[in-house]
Amino acid sequence: MERYYQPEIECMSREELTALQNERLVNQVNHVWNNVPYYRKKMEEKGVTPDDIKTIADLHKLPFITKADLRDAYPYGLMGKPLKDCVRIQSTSGTTGKRVVAFYTQHDIDLWEDCCARAIMAAGGTDEDVCQVSYGYGLFTGGPGLNGGSHKVGCLTIPTSSGNTERQIMFIKDLSATILCCTPSYAAYLGESMKEMGMTPADIPLKAGIFGAEAWSEEMRQDIQNTLGIKAYDIYGLTELSGPGVSFECSAQSGMHVNEDHFIAEIIDPNTGEVLPAGSKGELVFTSLTKEAFPLLRYRTRDICMLNYEPCPCGRTHVKMCKPMGRSDDMLIIRGVNVFPSQIEAVLLKNGYQANYQIIVDRVKNTDTLDVQVEMTPEMFTDNMGEIARRQRVLIDGLRSMLGITAKVSLVAPKSIVRSEGKAVRVIDKRKI
């Protein structure tokens, strides 16, 4: 039976939802115009005033906000409320340039936690569940968001944060955790560690996992589900918009429902900024309808995505976004070819490898090089150089077929690639570009 946290919103008719979005957009544009001089200046430069925005059909008239704007306006330039009304900041985990600092009123936090509660209940969570939150806490939004959502649902919440894998497994076993929230790479590592301890899915009390904050493939989902004996749900979010819970997966596992009462999603051409028709593939843009302290209008996520407005068997009416297919800015261009790490991961998993790999890009004599280092599983590990060479050729052929270019493949010993307890570092780009 499908569970809903706020069924009157999650299952409202499209007509009701559009009316709610129209009302909230008009209010939000006025709020931003009156309280965020930085964005008001961008509107004035584009010749737009709040009077021009009457419905969501007028959204395209508004200027975009980009990560560059967030850095230019750092730290307080995009705030929509006085500091005295704000109760928290969260910040991105980026390592270059100025960090993005997002502000929250208590009302902002309450709505964010509602969005995360919807995700937990869509994964089957109730007040009888034990929810282990193994995302990082602190400035990173993962831990605080799912922690608050778990409280809203009424779960017993275990705020383990990331790391200390032995303790994670101890709590899962001893406290009979039923829902696990963490990055997919860490879920895969936990499953790998439990398997090495001799545990089978029958020994693991978990029934569901909510995994996000990094790209992961359908093949990786199946691997995690089989190892942990759970149903693995995707969740999506951005610190700039609130954090996890902007969208979430339901039991259909066929896309993530955008919480459209709080966020309007658009798909644009990343080169021209033109809004694309429904069903098109392009860059995902979000407008926050209810955020008070850090209200972003038409924020360019740089995620490449598609939206699906077809009815969902779960009963929710909110649009679904597919798993991001890569990023328009983090996309690797190697020898003129667009390469996404998710494409490489799909080939590895299809050939029986686990999601422990690193992509090393370099430039030698003005030519790009692509080296994919892949861990062998314990079952594959051998000192038979002929067998290793054969396996490498299979992967080289598979990657050439997928990418259209040739990559060097290096098979390495199990556990020789550093494990991640936060976001996995998949790509090392050594080129000076």
Side-chain angles (χ1 to χ4, degrees):
M1 184 184 75
E2 194 73 31
R3 300 182 187 279
Y4 313 99
Y5 177 66
Q6 293 169 313
E8 72 285 357
I9 297 172
E10 296 174 65
C11 302
M12 67 168 39
S13 72
R14 291 299 305 179
E15 292 75 18
E16 292 175 300
L17 185 55
T18 299
L20 179 62
Q21 288 181 324
N22 288 340
E23 178 188 345
R24 287 182 169 178
L25 177 62
V26 169
N27 291 338
Q28 187 72 304
V29 170
N30 277 282
H31 169 56
V32 169
W33 176 268
N34 292 325
N35 296 289
V36 185
Y38 186 98
Y39 195 77
R40 177 174 179 163
K41 183 170 182 256
K42 288 181 76 77
M43 287 178 66
E44 287 173 338
E45 288 171 353
K46 202 172 179 190
V48 184
T49 72
D51 291 338
D52 297 313
I53 310 300
K54 297 179 172 59
T55 72
I56 58 174
D58 299 317
L59 189 60
H60 68 96
K61 299 175 183 177
L62 293 169
F64 293 114
I65 282 283
T66 66
K67 186 155 279 190
D69 288 310
L70 271 58
R71 289 184 175 131
D72 289 346
Y74 173 92
Y76 298 128
L78 284 166
M79 288 183 65
K81 284 284 186 178
L83 266 181
K84 69 180 181 62
D85 293 338
C86 300
V87 297
R88 190 193 300 174
I89 69 156
Q90 303 284 166
S91 180
T92 58
S93 55
T95 56
T96 59
K98 292 177 181 174
R99 295 180 68 92
V100 172
V101 177
F103 299 83
Y104 301 73
T105 64
Q106 186 58 52
H107 183 62
D108 291 334
I109 290 173
D110 288 341
L111 296 185
W112 175 26
E113 292 177 348
D114 284 345
C115 290
C116 290
R118 293 179 191 177
I120 291 170
M121 290 199 69
T126 72
D127 56 7
E128 296 182 357
D129 280 291
V130 178
C131 184
Q132 185 155 319
V133 182
S134 303
Y135 285 109
Y137 281 66
L139 291 172
F140 178 57
T141 56
L146 272 301
N147 189 92
S150 177
H151 285 191
K152 287 277 183 92
V153 172
C155 303
L156 173 62
T157 308
I158 311 174
T160 49
S161 192
S162 58
N164 200 330
T165 299
E166 287 186 12
R167 186 179 64 189
Q168 300 272 2
I169 295 172
M170 179 188 76
F171 279 149
I172 288 171
K173 284 177 57 184
D174 295 351
L175 298 176
S176 296
T178 52
I179 299 174
L180 174 66
C181 304
C182 63
T183 61
S185 59
Y186 194 50
Y189 181 44
L190 284 170
E192 181 185 309
S193 300
M194 290 187 207
K195 190 175 180 180
E196 288 176 355
M197 293 167 65
M199 297 172 66
T200 68
D203 303 317
I204 300 169
L206 295 170
K207 68 178 186 182
I210 299 174
F211 307 131
E214 65 187 15
W216 55 308
S217 61
E218 188 60 32
E219 291 88 349
M220 189 174 181
R221 184 216 297 271
Q222 297 304 327
D223 187 52
I224 292 170
Q225 290 188 152
N226 293 337
T227 305
L228 293 175
I230 63 172
K231 192 161 183 175
Y233 294 82
D234 209 348
I235 190 169
Y236 175 90
L238 298 156
T239 299
E240 295 91 330
L241 295 173
S242 63
V246 171
S247 66
F248 60 89
E249 226 171 17
C250 64
S251 58
Q253 289 183 307
S254 59
M256 293 171 279
H257 289 281
V258 176
N259 282 309
E260 287 190 276
D261 52 322
H262 298 298
F263 308 100
I264 299 177
E266 301 173 274
I267 297 292
I268 67 165
D269 182 316
N271 297 314
T272 67
E274 176 193 1
V275 179
L276 299 176
S280 300
K281 175 181 173 181
E283 182 183 340
L284 184 61
V285 172
F286 275 115
T287 292
S288 174
L289 292 172
T290 52
K291 196 84 182 285
E292 294 179 331
F294 202 64
L296 298 188
L297 304 182
R298 304 200 80 200
Y299 179 66
R300 294 186 61 161
T301 67
R302 297 295 181 182
D303 283 324
I304 301 299
C305 190
M306 295 171 68
L307 299 177
N308 179 2
Y309 288 88
E310 293 176 6
C312 183
C314 79
R316 291 177 180 83
T317 53
H318 295 205
V319 68
K320 287 192 290 192
M321 58 175 276
C322 73
K323 188 184 289 288
M325 303 167 176
R327 291 179 60 82
S328 62
D329 55 353
D330 291 347
M331 174 179 69
L332 294 165
I333 301 178
I334 301 171
R335 291 174 236 151
V337 175
N338 296 345
V339 175
F340 293 106
S342 57
Q343 294 172 305
I344 293 173
E345 180 176 293
V347 172
L348 302 184
L349 290 167
K350 181 180 178 182
N351 283 280
Y353 297 84
Q354 294 177 337
N356 298 315
Y357 63 93
Q358 272 190 334
I359 301 163
I360 300 170
V361 185
D362 207 343
R363 183 162 286 172
V364 179
K365 295 180 180 177
N366 296 318
T367 300
D368 292 338
T369 61
L370 175 61
D371 184 1
V372 184
Q373 298 191 351
V374 186
E375 268 190 11
M376 289 181 277
T377 64
E379 297 78 20
M380 294 175 182
F381 187 54
T382 176
D383 57 2
N384 183 329
M385 299 308 293
E387 175 61 16
I388 290 175
R390 185 194 69 79
R391 286 186 168 277
Q392 288 179 167
R393 283 196 301 272
V394 170
L395 288 181
I396 289 168
D397 289 343
L399 289 170
R400 186 188 298 115
S401 176
M402 171 69 81
L403 305 175
I405 58 173
T406 300
K408 177 186 174 186
V409 173
S410 304
L411 290 179
V412 299
K415 292 193 174 297
S416 59
I417 293 176
V418 177
R419 293 298 190 273
S420 170
E421 293 176 342
K423 291 192 180 185
V425 180
R426 298 293 193 209
V427 180
I428 299 173
D429 195 338
K430 297 181 177 179
R431 297 173 297 179
K432 301 292 188 257
I433 55 176

